[in-house]
Amino acid sequence: NSDGVGYLKCNAGTFASEQNSLACERCAPGRTAKVEGRSTCACTSGGHYASEDRTVELPCGPGTFTPNECSPSCQRCAPGKFANISGSYGCICAPAGHEPNANSTSIVPCAPGYFQPSRCQPQCLRCPPGTFSEFPGSFRCAKAGLGHTVNAQRTAQVPCGSGLFTRKDRKSTRLN
């Protein structure tokens, strides 16, 4: 203490690694000292980070994670992945026919007219010309049948109009 008699314990969130230290040090990011008088700081658990004052560990929020102990901060899920709970060690791949929502906290099915053929992809794809998907969550698009074309939204096939037909390559052609 200030008059040289006795000692003071380091506050929570700080530590003194040697006996008779003149000063306490703040715990490093990713480490905590939950009680006063610590000689070391403990690592945060995977899926967690240390509070600003380094006194407690807090879970990473949905859409973020920490893969290891002692991680200094939470990381955002990579494109195509999501974390729907707090305290995640990692993120989950979005299944085919789906994409992560904007903040990577859940998945949403691909809208009609869009598809996603494989897992872990960042966003749904628009059906190519001549193909359509009429239901949410499609992992492929269907080709329009002969005598049909697709609507502008690529959500349904529609019969060719009077005087029109589709060729094998699915392109509409006018009869002469």
Side-chain angles (χ1 to χ4, degrees):
N1 65 21
S2 61
D3 61 5
V5 179
Y7 64 94
L8 296 174
K9 292 182 179 179
C10 290
N11 293 328
T14 64
F15 72 103
S17 59
E18 297 179 20
Q19 221 172 12
N20 299 322
S21 291
L22 295 177
C24 299
E25 298 177 51
R26 184 173 185 205
C27 294
R31 295 177 175 269
T32 62
K34 296 177 183 180
V35 296
E36 62 182 30
R38 300 295 306 198
S39 61
T40 61
C41 295
C43 279
T44 55
S45 306
H48 293 75
Y49 67 100
S51 62
E52 185 66 33
D53 65 3
R54 311 288 200 270
T55 59
V56 295
E57 66 178 31
L58 303 168
C60 292
T64 64
F65 73 103
T66 60
N68 306 313
E69 293 180 341
C70 295
S71 293
S73 62
C74 299
Q75 302 170 29
R76 174 105 0 236
C77 291
K81 295 184 176 188
F82 70 101
N84 58 355
I85 60 170
S86 295
S88 293
Y89 287 82
C91 298
I92 304 164
C93 282
H98 295 77
E99 64 186 354
N101 66 358
N103 56 5
S104 301
T105 58
S106 66
I107 54 171
V108 293
C110 295
Y114 291 81
F115 75 108
Q116 185 49 261
S118 59
R119 56 192 299 273
C120 286
Q121 298 303 309
Q123 63 188 29
C124 296
L125 308 169
R126 181 140 167 95
C127 288
T131 67
F132 66 98
S133 67
E134 58 185 323
F135 302 108
S138 293
F139 57 89
R140 65 180 174 81
C141 297
K143 289 183 179 179
L146 290 177
H148 292 80
T149 188
V150 298
N151 63 6
Q153 298 80 23
R154 299 182 188 166
T155 58
Q157 65 178 348
V158 292
C160 291
S162 179
L164 297 173
F165 71 98
T166 52
R167 302 185 317 224
K168 257 184 158 175
D169 62 6
R170 306 292 194 255
K171 293 187 179 187
S172 294
T173 304
R174 184 166 294 283
L175 291 173
N176 293 331

